[in-house]
Amino acid sequence: MSTATGDLATDDELGSVGYWQGQVRGTVRFADAVAALAARGVTRFVEIGPDSVLTAMVADCVEDATAIALQRRKREQVEAYATGMAQAWTSGVDLDWAAVNPGGRTVDLPTYAFQHQRFWLDAPADPGDATAMGLDSADHPLLGAAVTLANADGAVLTGRLSLDRHPWLADHAVDGAVVFPGTGYVDLALHAGAQVGVETVDELTIEAPLVLPEHGGVQLQVVVGPAGTDHTRTLQVYARSADADAPWTRHASGVLAPGPRTSGTALTQWPPTDAEPVPTDDLYPHLAAGGLGYGPVFRGLRRVWRRGDEFYAEVTLPEGVDADGFGLHPAVLDAGLHALGLADGDTFRGLPFAWSGLTLHATGAAGVRVRLTPVGSGVRVAVADAVGAPVATIDSLVLRPVQVTRPGGVADALFDLTWQEIGTPTTTTTPNWTRHPATGSGSDLAPAAAGSDLTPVAVEVDPAVPGTADLLVLAAGLTGDLAGPEAVHDEVNRVLGLVRQWLTGPDTDRLVVLTRRAVGADVTDLAGAAVWGLLRSAQAENPDRLLLLDTDTDPAGDVTSALALALAAGEPQVRVRHGVVSVPRLTRQLVEPSTPDAPLFGTGTVLVTGATGALGTAVARHLVTTHGATRLLLVSRRGPAAPGADDLVAELTAAGAQVELVAADVADRAQVAALLDARADLSAVVHTAGVLDDGVVSALSTDRLSAVLRPKVDAAWLLDEATRGRDLSAFVLFSSLSGVLGA
């Protein structure tokens, strides 16, 4: 089809020099050529040129057509070609796969269409009646209440963010973590300003990412300061975890100013004259490769054009997403900014960082037009509604690149084991227990009679007796005070022996191991904590055979209700506090960079145990290079005779530290005393020593278990005793990586 005539080309035309000169000098009738092909029944167009420019233009010429590009700029050619072939195949083109992939073979796919189904529950947030608590309604989807301060000309707006109440936030992820979008701070700032009569966000800077937990939520405060002499007001956005004892973190700060800075920019000519369409097929995979993961709610970008350095974007919220209540829905503005990802270079790649001169002209827009104009190191943003009327103006926006490995960033988040409340499960099942006395042959193992005393006791299990009960309950740990290392050894070995016997019995019986305050933030039983560490591994090896239950009541008392709650929860590990059930979950903990007023490890000598091992060596380097430690006392069982010891001392000395390497057993009381008595300047202890002798629970023995516990439990206890009364800046214990220790 000739783009010179808009009709079928003849052989004579294609063979003449004049035809091709006309192609260069004359009008290109691309739209006419595409329309003529469509009129002849063509529904699929393949671009074989060096880029995908024409592919994007096909959609402007005809409807319901499939445009396929076989090459794309900045994409490896084989990958681009294979992607184009796959797109052609899924659109109905009958390909000769033997030619595409010689020697390959085809395999059948399911004959039904793949189904896309949305599983988020559309449960609207219910902030409650704020006025009944003496507050004002915040009238915003992310905020629950507002209060004007009585003793100052300021205001505080509060709310609670969670993925349960605001599931659409899960579609904004950075390095795999759900991060509150920067455009969300913009909407909060605009709303807070409207509450106190200042219409413009003069400045707004995002200081720290707000990572939302997978379970639970965070408390939010937007604090507006009193009016200054120039009528401006300060703004801070704080958040903390739902735990009332958690510290507040300031995530954004800025300045609010009265009066609109501009009347806005109309975008009625759409798309602008001379603007060229830009393909967006590769945009989101490219952003995802850089750590930015956007789900359906934040993928409202529909079309993009470019004119010089300017980008024009068309954005529509996906169906089912409600923009009511927002000044400018965060997902709308965020999607408009995604067009910057199509710019050349890295200047406009990343997340919004600093805003200035932001004015809102209209509210509630679910579909917008966006113009992005580079200005220095930032970009000016004009937002209009679907007919071109002004919605918002941003004088300058600066983006900060996403660095996957930057210190303190989202990628440095740690996964921590936390206890998540699941409420109080409802149950109508009365647990059926079997009791066994702490002594005896075990021949009287039988179901408990109805109404009998169900007090759990320590048990000995006789594998020769058939299991006839649903549950056998074992009280573990020491229900009193913190115990010494000998008691920890004795109890862990006792439980190991009982559990090994139990696991030789019928695999349909379950053993409940009951402890008191052995896990969580209120641990008082070190022996019980060690039991938990051991049995967590045993659970992984023997699914559905063991149930770990930790309560806040004396196991010698009546724990029937706690056991019923644990069974109703249906979890292998349960903690009950005041009748509320919690279960362990891995949650992301963001590591924020810190600049402490004083050195974390003091200015004296820092003792590192296990210093010539892999962990101890890494810690010693970190103390010198990161925390500025200048005096190190390195201790290991082999000391200077350990492989690589001389190189380690030389390296740390060259880094500016005074290093002493000593051979000593820190699980020996006399050696610990001799080691520390002559060192009055000791300021910190980092205990990394350990022994690895792990195995499945059926292969463990008292000797193997004690060998692992000794350098951890015994040594930590002795080091603690030897340093009591000293003004230490830090005492750090690295738990065993084998999972034997629970705390």
Side-chain angles (χ1 to χ4, degrees), residues 422-429 564-565 567-569:
I422 61 172
T424 304
T426 59
T427 178
T428 58
T429 303
L565 291 172
L567 294 175

Side-chain angles (χ1 to χ4, degrees), residues 45 86 156 211 263 299 343 353 376 407 450 492 517 565 614 662 665 683 686 689 698:
F45 297 81
V156 178
V211 178
S263 59
R299 290 196 178 193
F353 168 62
V492 174
R517 297 193 184 278
L565 291 172
V662 178
D665 182 359
S683 64
V686 183
S698 59

Side-chain angles (χ1 to χ4, degrees), residues 531-547:
V531 167
W532 268 72
L534 172 68
L535 296 188
R536 277 177 171 146
S537 295
Q539 281 184 323
E541 300 162 14
N542 302 273
D544 301 325
R545 296 297 312 278
L546 300 168
L547 169 62

Side-chain angles (χ1 to χ4, degrees), residues 608-633:
V608 180
T609 69
T612 56
L615 181 58
T617 298
V619 167
R621 292 192 183 103
H622 187 70
L623 288 169
V624 174
T625 59
T626 301
H627 294 284
T630 57
R631 291 194 294 277
L632 293 181
L633 174 58

